[in-house]
Amino acid sequence: MPRVLVVRLDSFGDVLVAGPAVRAVAAGASHVTMLCGPQGAPAAGLLPGIDQVRVWAAPWVTETARPIDDTLLGEFRALVTEVQPDEAVVLTSFHQSPLPVALLLRLAGVRRVSGASVDHPGSLLDVRLRPGEDLPEDVPEPERALRIAEAAGFRLPPGDDGRLGVRQDADLLPEIAALDRYVVVHPGASVPARSWPEDHHRALVAAYAERGTPVVVTGSPGEAALTASVAGDTGIDLGGRTSPAELAAVLAGAEVVVVGNTGPAHLAAAVGVPIVSLFSPVVPAVKWAPYAPLVELLGDQSAACRLSRARECPVPGHPCLSTVRVEDVLTAHERLLDRASRMAGRSLRGAPDGAA
């Protein structure tokens, strides 16, 4: 069984959606190292099947002024020499190319490299999937990554349903564990074009408070001012106070998670919690909506900003999300609870005697 280097060089959520592919590789490998960028490495630490995580900031992925020179190439070669992979599986999204890192892997002596490339790879890839031909364009990102792994010869083991999953070994914060029930509201997003307005989030927290539903507001250290504003006097502000593992525990205990298109949405999917997804169509929902059975997708998916990949909303007033009302979120919450109840009922009716 080979030693395999799995490469995913971008963000936290991108690494999480690679989880099923990583498990497939792990089922057919003697050792799995995951190579991530600085933003994605914390997510890799949560994924089952990984023996080692290495961090490397690719200049064509991260926003850095670092030059591509002999020092950078030597650093990459030293990393690969230390890891000693027999082969590499390069995971990319539809708008990315595996060829820059494939070239570096070849220079570092990796004998077998697999990936999906629109451009002809020459001798850079041993296994190539062609997007739009033998790799469909409109598939969810977890399925895309899994197809790349399968093309390389790695398949999920029997009993693995291919859903997102993370290790859940962190304790719930005492102040959250004391709650009988709660909703998580995560107001932040990586770029403004994917954000539901702050005042909408604040009004939602207040509406939950009026209903007697405790709300936990989560966010990164850089979003502390936002989470404090959204939490107000009624929400529990955890902005900047949770590690990725602790955030997973908080999300897993929630009745519902309200979140935009951002990394924690995929973490919520990985822990199996119902999700109200406030999804801006600047990227396609078919690829990037939370990959989970209990999701209510809100937001105008046919808005003028559709598929623009904009960071700042190109349409005045941000109508794709600003038109989503607090009442729409509360109604979606109730629909999720109803669906969850019906799914649980079907599961219990189908269980063997005594299993329920």
Side-chain angles (χ1 to χ4, degrees), residues 188-213:
S190 58
V191 296
R194 301 183 186 184
S195 299
W196 199 40
E198 181 178 333
D199 59 341
H200 287 43
H201 279 105
R202 194 161 48 244
L204 176 64
V205 173
Y208 274 123
E210 291 176 1
R211 293 182 168 208
T213 304

Side-chain angles (χ1 to χ4, degrees), residues 32-162:
V32 177
T33 298
M34 189 151 195
L35 179 62
C36 302
Q39 292 179 307
L46 300 176
L47 294 181
I50 296 175
D51 298 294
Q52 180 184 29
V53 178
R54 296 302 305 269
V55 183
W56 188 72
W60 60 90
V61 176
T62 59
E63 295 182 3
T64 175
R66 187 177 185 188
I68 300 178
D69 54 19
D70 288 341
T71 300
L72 182 140
L73 298 180
E75 178 185 286
F76 188 88
R77 186 189 298 270
L79 185 154
V80 173
T81 300
E82 179 184 336
V83 172
Q84 296 185 326
D86 298 304
E87 62 178 286
V89 178
V90 182
L91 304 178
T92 51
S93 295
F94 68 99
H95 60 280
Q96 299 167 331
S97 171
L99 300 186
V101 75
L103 174 61
L104 297 188
L105 290 165
R106 285 290 194 230
L107 293 174
V110 179
R111 296 189 298 273
R112 187 172 189 263
V113 182
S114 303
S117 178
V118 173
D119 298 317
H120 178 62
S123 61
L124 295 182
L125 296 178
D126 299 285
V127 177
R128 175 200 178 192
L129 284 178
R130 298 167 177 81
E133 297 180 34
D134 46 16
L135 179 62
E137 295 281 12
D138 291 329
V139 296
E141 283 291 306
E143 295 180 17
R144 175 189 172 90
L146 190 56
R147 291 190 185 211
I148 296 172
E150 289 174 346
F154 301 101
R155 295 187 176 276
L156 288 168
D160 191 324
D161 61 8

Side-chain angles (χ1 to χ4, degrees), residues 85 140 192 256 284:
V256 165

Side-chain angles (χ1 to χ4, degrees), residues 234-327:
T234 58
I236 300 173
D237 180 14
L238 292 187
R241 295 174 52 196
T242 56
S243 68
E246 289 169 335
L247 177 58
V250 171
L251 295 174
E255 182 174 290
V256 165
V257 173
V258 181
V259 61
N261 179 20
T262 186
H266 303 297
L267 188 56
V271 300
V273 66
I275 302 166
V276 177
S277 174
L278 298 162
F279 199 94
S280 165
V282 292
V283 295
V286 67
K287 298 176 184 289
W288 286 110
Y291 193 66
L294 286 171
V295 177
E296 285 284 333
L297 195 72
L298 301 182
D300 182 1
Q301 300 306 301
S302 62
C305 63
R306 181 176 181 270
L307 306 184
S308 66
R309 291 171 53 195
R311 298 174 65 88
E312 299 281 346
C313 182
V315 182
H318 195 26
C320 68
L321 286 181
S322 65
T323 53
V324 176
R325 305 168 303 163
V326 167
E327 293 77 10

